[in-house]
Amino acid sequence: MNTTTPHNRPGTAETQIPVPASGMAGSRDLVLGIGCDRNTPYATLAQVIDEALAQLEASWADVRAVASIDLKADEVAMQELQRQRGHTIHFYPATWLAQVPVPNPSETVRKYTGTPSVSEAAALLVVGEAAQAFAHAATDDAPARAHVPPPHMPGVSVPVSQRSVSLPVPAPMSALLIEKHKLRGPDGRNATVSVARADEMARLSPETGRHA
């Protein structure tokens, strides 16, 4: 991966981008996985997202879904992000996120959250969940379809228990356009975003939810 090294002080950022990083700006359907320290201000969360999107020559209008860990569902910054930008945040339990293969697992993150990845795993999982929702819709499976929201739905957060009864098949790590973009805010609190291709949904087999 390509990594920009921050000076360990507030207001600096670090980005991890897969190598090669070609073709990133070509995708205009994006999914975000987000994480943050407890009580991170909304301004820091919004800034880290905007910086990551700018690296892809994209904007918020290109975002189709946003996901995080359920431990962060009560964060003021997360709730404000939903209000300000009109996207539901899909919150997943740590036990689900911990099962998603990611390029940058962290034992430090596991210590505090119960999963070695939040932003990367959340991005890959919501892509997979949306792929399965579309697969159910394509096969006219109305009961299954009723439990999984579309990937772009403004409103309040949707607990995972109201959507799915089993772990969705996550998208592969190759779906990540930005593995991690991390920003340390003026107060020293960190926010992280991972960006994945939403069009990876279309590459999954409708029968299995896996790559054809």
Side-chain angles (χ1 to χ4, degrees):
M1 70 192 71
N2 295 331
T3 303
T4 61
T5 303
H7 306 287
N8 189 23
R9 63 173 185 269
T12 59
E14 176 182 356
T15 306
Q16 294 171 317
I17 299 174
V19 177
S22 61
M24 291 164 48
S27 178
R28 278 295 175 265
D29 291 312
L30 305 175
V31 165
L32 307 181
I34 53 177
C36 64
D37 292 342
R38 178 59 65 183
N39 297 322
T40 295
Y42 168 69
T44 301
L45 185 61
Q47 182 179 344
V48 76
I49 290 171
D50 291 341
E51 287 181 358
L53 292 173
Q55 291 186 38
L56 301 176
E57 300 178 17
S59 70
W60 185 257
D62 301 311
V63 175
R64 300 293 172 261
V66 184
S68 188
I69 189 171
D70 59 5
L71 292 175
K72 298 299 178 180
D74 63 345
E75 287 281 351
V76 172
M78 296 283 184
Q79 299 300 323
E80 188 65 19
L81 183 69
Q82 293 183 121
R83 286 192 292 269
Q84 293 280 347
R85 306 216 177 179
H87 257 292
T88 296
I89 299 177
H90 306 269
F91 292 104
Y92 295 109
T95 53
W96 283 26
L97 296 174
Q99 298 180 58
V100 179
V102 297
N104 302 288
S106 167
E107 288 306 311
T108 299
V109 173
R110 187 198 298 272
K111 176 182 177 181
Y112 291 104
T113 67
T115 172
S117 172
V118 173
S119 63
E120 290 177 319
L124 296 176
L125 201 55
V126 76
V127 172
E129 185 180 13
Q132 289 177 276
F134 291 146
H136 287 311
T139 56
D140 197 29
D141 188 347
R145 187 170 65 248
H147 289 287
V148 186
H152 186 178
M153 184 177 67
V156 298
S157 60
V158 181
V160 72
S161 61
Q162 295 180 12
R163 306 197 309 268
S164 305
V165 294
S166 61
L167 177 73
V169 177
M173 289 185 280
S174 59
L176 289 169
L177 294 172
I178 291 180
E179 293 172 356
K180 287 184 178 180
H181 178 65
K182 184 176 181 179
L183 176 69
R184 189 179 186 193
D187 61 355
R189 291 182 172 87
N190 298 292
T192 304
V193 61
S194 300
V195 185
R197 304 176 195 270
D199 62 8
E200 198 72 20
M201 302 167 186
R203 306 183 189 190
L204 299 177
S205 166
E207 291 80 16
T208 66
R210 300 182 183 278
H211 277 65

